[in-house]
């Protein structure tokens, strides 16, 4: 019995100029709650991917990938045989805008470049409406639903983009303040740490597990070992063989 070769989708890509304002780690942290995307971050790049469907071999069939680096965004996406290439491109750009709106304080796409791609895609979609009435009638429901969704998203993004930018800046500032406060709370003086170690030893039958103590009080094991050595040298405790 002859094997049937799987039908592969076509692949297209576009590149949009951009600028990193913060760090890819910040972007990854911000987007990690979006379960529809998978993320892969390195020091100088961030890849965001979404697999929408797979073929019978479980390989990605419909998907799009956003590769961010410090100066540009490379957008790669697949197009199914029964999918309009023009609508598909506009759909992928819509998702890119949604991602950019969530990290507007960390990464900025070049507005001219992005708007030119959007303008070209919208023109292509509108131009395709000049088909015959019969064909237009057959595709009306599908096109109308996609157009309505794109219009709704455009209104929402326009209204929320400024608010998201302000909120993102506020969250970033609050996060920095909280980290500083937590660091201060978790920093103990030598005297305080010696007292804590002494109390631990007394309540644990004269023993101390460095890793357990470290995890309990969020102190690194080398810091605990340093204090233990200092307490031994001062004669506060004795090590038993």
């Amino acid at each position: 019995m002859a094997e049937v070769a799987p039908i592969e989708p076509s692949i297209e890509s576009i590149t949009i100029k951009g600028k990193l304002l913060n760090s890819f780690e910040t972007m990854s942290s911000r987007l990690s709650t979006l379960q529809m995307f998978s993320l892969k971050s390195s020091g100088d790049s961030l890849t965001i991917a979404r697999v929408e469907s797979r073929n019978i071999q479980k390989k990605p069939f419909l998907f799009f990938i956003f590769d961010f680096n410090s100066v540009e965004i490379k957008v790669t996406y697949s197009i199914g045989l029964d999918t309009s290439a023009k609508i598909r491109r506009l759909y992928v750009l819509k998702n890119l805008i949604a991602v950019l709106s969530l990290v507007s304080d960390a990464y900025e796409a070049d507005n001219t470049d992005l708007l030119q791609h959007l303008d070209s895609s919208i023109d292509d979609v509108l131009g395709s409406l000049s088909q015959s009435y019969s064909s237009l009638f057959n595709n009306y429901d599908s096109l109308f639903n996609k157009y309505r969704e794109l219009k709704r998203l455009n209104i929402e993004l326009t209204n929320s983009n400024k608010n998201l930018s302000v909120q993102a800046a506020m969250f970033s500032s609050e996060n920095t303040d909280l980290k500083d406060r937590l660091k201060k709370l978790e920093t103990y003086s030598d005297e305080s740490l010696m007292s804590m170690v002494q109390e631990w030893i007394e309540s644990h039958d004269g023993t101390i597990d460095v890793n357990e103590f470290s995890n309990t009080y969020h102190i690194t094991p080398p810091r605990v070992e340093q204090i233990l050595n200092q307490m031994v040298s001062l004669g506060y405790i004795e090590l038993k063989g």
Side-chain angles (χ1 to χ4, degrees):
M1 185 175 180
E3 294 185 358
V4 178
I7 299 175
E8 298 293 338
S10 59
I11 307 295
E12 290 191 4
S13 64
I14 58 177
T15 300
I16 298 171
K17 297 175 183 177
K19 182 179 180 181
L20 182 64
L21 303 176
N22 195 313
S23 69
F24 291 116
E25 288 75 13
T26 298
M27 293 174 62
S28 179
S29 176
R30 187 81 51 75
L31 299 170
S32 60
T33 58
L34 302 179
Q35 298 181 356
M36 67 184 71
F37 295 112
S38 60
L39 295 88
K40 182 178 180 181
S41 175
S42 65
D44 56 1
S45 65
L46 173 65
T47 298
I48 303 172
R50 181 181 180 186
V51 176
E52 301 156 274
S53 65
R54 298 178 181 272
N55 61 21
I56 57 175
Q57 283 82 26
K58 304 299 183 182
K59 294 181 179 180
F61 186 79
L62 281 182
F63 62 87
F64 55 81
I65 303 170
F66 304 145
D67 287 310
F68 289 82
N69 64 38
S70 60
V71 296
E72 66 181 17
I73 311 165
K74 183 177 180 182
V75 180
T76 305
Y77 58 96
S78 62
I79 306 171
L81 296 179
D82 59 346
T83 303
S84 165
K86 299 170 184 178
I87 292 292
R88 178 64 175 165
R89 186 184 188 194
L90 194 56
Y91 172 78
V92 171
L93 287 173
K94 179 202 74 169
N95 279 272
L96 175 62
I97 292 172
V99 169
L100 287 170
S101 72
L102 297 176
V103 293
S104 58
D105 63 320
Y107 197 96
E108 181 181 75
D110 182 270
N111 284 335
T112 300
D113 212 5
L114 178 59
L115 290 174
Q116 284 178 347
H117 283 293
L118 280 173
D119 182 65
S120 174
S121 295
I122 293 172
D123 276 348
D124 286 342
V125 171
L126 294 177
S128 67
L129 298 178
S130 61
Q131 56 192 302
S132 68
Y133 175 79
S134 176
S135 178
L136 179 61
F137 180 81
N138 291 334
N139 293 316
Y140 171 80
D141 285 341
S142 176
L143 287 172
F144 180 77
N145 288 335
K146 291 175 181 177
Y147 164 77
R148 184 170 56 188
E149 175 63 18
L150 288 170
K151 183 177 180 180
R152 181 191 65 79
L153 178 63
N154 181 61
I155 294 173
E156 290 181 356
L157 289 174
T158 300
N159 292 334
S160 65
N161 187 50
K162 291 183 179 179
N163 290 333
L164 284 171
S165 297
V166 173
Q167 291 176 8
M170 291 175 59
F171 289 150
S172 178
S173 178
E174 290 176 0
N175 185 50
T176 300
D177 291 342
L178 288 173
K179 286 183 177 179
D180 291 340
R181 291 172 60 188
L182 181 60
K183 185 176 181 180
K184 291 179 181 178
L185 289 173
E186 294 179 350
T187 301
Y188 301 99
S189 66
D190 287 358
E191 291 76 11
S192 297
L193 193 51
M194 285 183 186
S195 177
M196 292 162 60
V197 168
Q198 188 69 43
E199 291 178 1
W200 180 283
I201 292 174
E202 291 175 356
S203 63
H204 288 78
D205 298 325
T207 65
I208 182 170
D209 184 306
V210 172
N211 289 329
E212 184 180 356
F213 184 90
S214 300
N215 291 333
T216 300
Y217 294 106
H218 306 289
I219 305 169
T220 62
R223 171 81 166 127
V224 179
E225 292 173 354
Q226 175 192 2
I227 287 298
L228 286 170
N229 290 333
Q230 189 174 344
M231 293 177 72
V232 170
S233 65
L234 292 173
Y236 293 161
I237 59 174
E238 293 182 0
L239 296 179
K240 296 182 180 181

